[in-house]
Amino acid sequence: MQQNKWLKFSKTNHHNPIKLFCFPFAGAGAATFTSWQNDVAPHIQVIAVQLPGRENRFSEPPMGKMSELLDVLSQHISPYSAQPWAVFGHSMGATIGYALISRLIETGCNPPQHFFTSAKSPPHCLPSYAPLSHLSDNEFLDTLATRYGADTSTSQRELLELMLPTLRADFGLIESQYNHSTIPLNTDITALYGTQDHAVSEQQMMQWSRYTNQSFDIVEINGPHFYLQSAKQQIMSIINHRL
């Protein structure tokens, strides 16, 4: 499969794998999912979505408008919707993942087999906290630490300051996606949440059940908001079992 700057295809020997498109959290990139192919079942191909403004696309300006981001992502992902496909999104990635699924279905594409939404409340849930994309640099970084458990220690501060334009744009995407509409999808949904996550609750994650007319389940992860590494094997087991 030919690589492009938006999609990073993991290598697989399976002739017709389920394509699992993975969307990272704010500020993160495709490297978040680099090792996943080693642990998913052979019939699953991990495809990490690489947004501008990070990693090998750091020199490109981040995208701050969801509609423009969906225009581009739809062009790259829609050709694969005729085959079995699925979506995993963590935090911001869940917001983008759901918006993309909705956009593709609206344009006549087949729905994904499964949507894994991780550590993010659904679009109709008003956030229980104030927006942060407009805060001063220090307030922004301090809020990342208290709300999401981000490491803002001195050793990480310089990197975070370099990533501030991307982080602000990413949070702008999230904060613009409140939507009263809860039109259910023809897609199975699994919601994952961390027991020590201060940004989203089990009750909020349960609200994802309103977004499907197929099966829904919710899984508790023992960890904080950023549990993708510490709970990797549990997450791999969840994905393998449901796909």
Side-chain angles (χ1 to χ4, degrees):
M1 179 61 63
Q2 184 178 1
Q3 300 283 350
N4 66 60
K5 65 180 183 179
W6 287 90
L7 303 176
K8 303 300 179 184
F9 291 81
S10 298
K11 293 181 180 179
T12 175
N13 293 321
H14 199 280
H15 69 283
N16 187 30
I18 297 174
K19 289 178 168 51
L20 176 63
F21 294 92
C22 298
F23 294 82
F25 51 90
T32 303
F33 308 104
T34 297
S35 66
W36 278 29
Q37 191 64 49
N38 298 327
D39 296 292
V40 295
H43 68 281
I44 301 170
Q45 182 181 24
V46 174
I47 304 172
V49 177
Q50 184 72 303
L51 304 179
R54 66 213 75 210
E55 295 177 1
N56 65 316
R57 302 187 67 186
F58 181 77
S59 61
E60 300 177 47
M63 300 187 74
K65 292 185 178 181
M66 183 66 80
S67 59
E68 295 177 358
L69 178 60
L70 295 179
D71 287 344
V72 178
L73 289 176
S74 296
Q75 292 177 12
H76 288 286
I77 295 178
S78 61
Y80 303 101
S81 65
Q83 307 167 19
W85 66 295
V87 171
F88 179 97
H90 183 80
S91 197
M92 176 193 74
T95 299
I96 298 174
Y98 172 74
L100 176 73
I101 293 169
S102 299
R103 168 71 72 87
L104 291 178
I105 291 175
E106 287 173 0
T107 59
C109 293
N110 294 329
Q113 181 174 319
H114 211 107
F115 175 39
F116 300 91
T117 173
S118 176
K120 186 69 181 75
S121 58
H124 77 277
C125 287
L126 281 171
S128 56
Y129 47 79
L132 63 105
S133 58
H134 67 286
L135 297 177
S136 68
D137 290 354
N138 286 334
E139 290 175 322
F140 185 90
L141 294 175
D142 289 344
T143 304
L144 285 183
T146 56
R147 186 182 299 171
Y148 299 100
D151 181 2
T152 58
S153 61
T154 303
S155 61
Q156 294 294 315
R157 196 84 175 186
E158 185 175 352
L159 174 60
L160 286 170
E161 288 173 354
L162 285 173
M163 289 296 298
L164 273 173
T166 295
L167 286 165
R168 287 187 184 282
D170 286 355
F171 276 95
L173 287 175
I174 300 169
E175 292 164 0
S176 68
Q177 285 305 292
Y178 172 71
N179 192 332
H180 287 285
S181 175
T182 57
I183 299 173
L185 306 173
N186 263 332
T187 300
D188 295 338
I189 293 180
T190 296
L192 300 84
Y193 74 98
T195 56
Q196 302 158 40
D197 192 340
H198 301 300
V200 65
S201 67
E202 177 185 8
Q203 290 73 26
Q204 288 175 314
M205 294 303 294
M206 280 294 300
Q207 292 295 309
W208 279 107
S209 64
R210 299 169 57 177
Y211 287 75
T212 179
N213 51 26
Q214 302 298 313
S215 70
F216 171 82
D217 68 321
I218 185 167
V219 180
E220 177 184 284
I221 304 288
N222 183 24
H225 185 76
F226 295 110
Y227 52 67
L228 289 186
Q229 289 303 317
S230 61
K232 178 186 172 186
Q233 292 308 314
Q234 182 181 0
I235 296 170
M236 297 297 97
S237 177
I238 292 166
I239 292 172
N240 290 336
H241 177 71
R242 287 157 180 78
L243 294 183

